Amino acid sequence: PTGRNFAAGMSGGVAYVYDTDGQFARLCNTDQVELEKPETDDDKATIKRLLENHVKFTDSPVAKAILADWENELRWFVKVLPTDYRNALAKMVESEEAARLGKLQTAAK
């Protein structure tokens, strides 16, 4: 469980919250963040790696139980992503695509 006002002032990074009771959205300060399901392969791999590391370092029974029923338990995770961070990532991807396209056009000449 989280306290109220989770993500207040969060300007970078990503948080993954295990929300089995469905109350997280009510407790999260969504002024500067967006909540979404972690549906990409990268998100799923990141969560799994974090849980595996948590088990390795703490022997957490909760993390072990989540990993033991991974496909079912994944549905309870919420991805918390700051809006400004999302925009910065999108601009970075645009810049990388423009640079790649420029190189392709230069090579074609």
Side-chain angles (χ1 to χ4, degrees), residues 49-60:
R49 186 183 75 249
L50 290 168
L51 287 166
E52 289 167 346
N53 284 339
H54 190 58
V55 167
K56 178 180 171 182
F57 294 117
T58 69
D59 203 32
S60 166

Side-chain angles (χ1 to χ4, degrees), residues 55-101:
V55 167
K56 178 180 171 182
F57 294 117
T58 69
D59 203 32
S60 166
V62 173
K64 284 180 182 178
I66 294 169
L67 289 167
D69 193 14
W70 175 243
E71 292 302 320
N72 188 47
E73 293 297 314
L74 182 60
R75 68 188 166 127
W76 298 114
F77 283 89
V78 177
K79 181 179 180 178
V80 183
L81 186 64
T83 308
D84 289 343
Y85 187 61
R86 174 190 294 284
N87 294 339
L89 289 174
K91 286 180 184 178
M92 188 172 70
V93 168
E94 281 179 28
S95 295
E96 290 172 357
E97 280 295 311
R100 188 182 65 77
L101 185 58

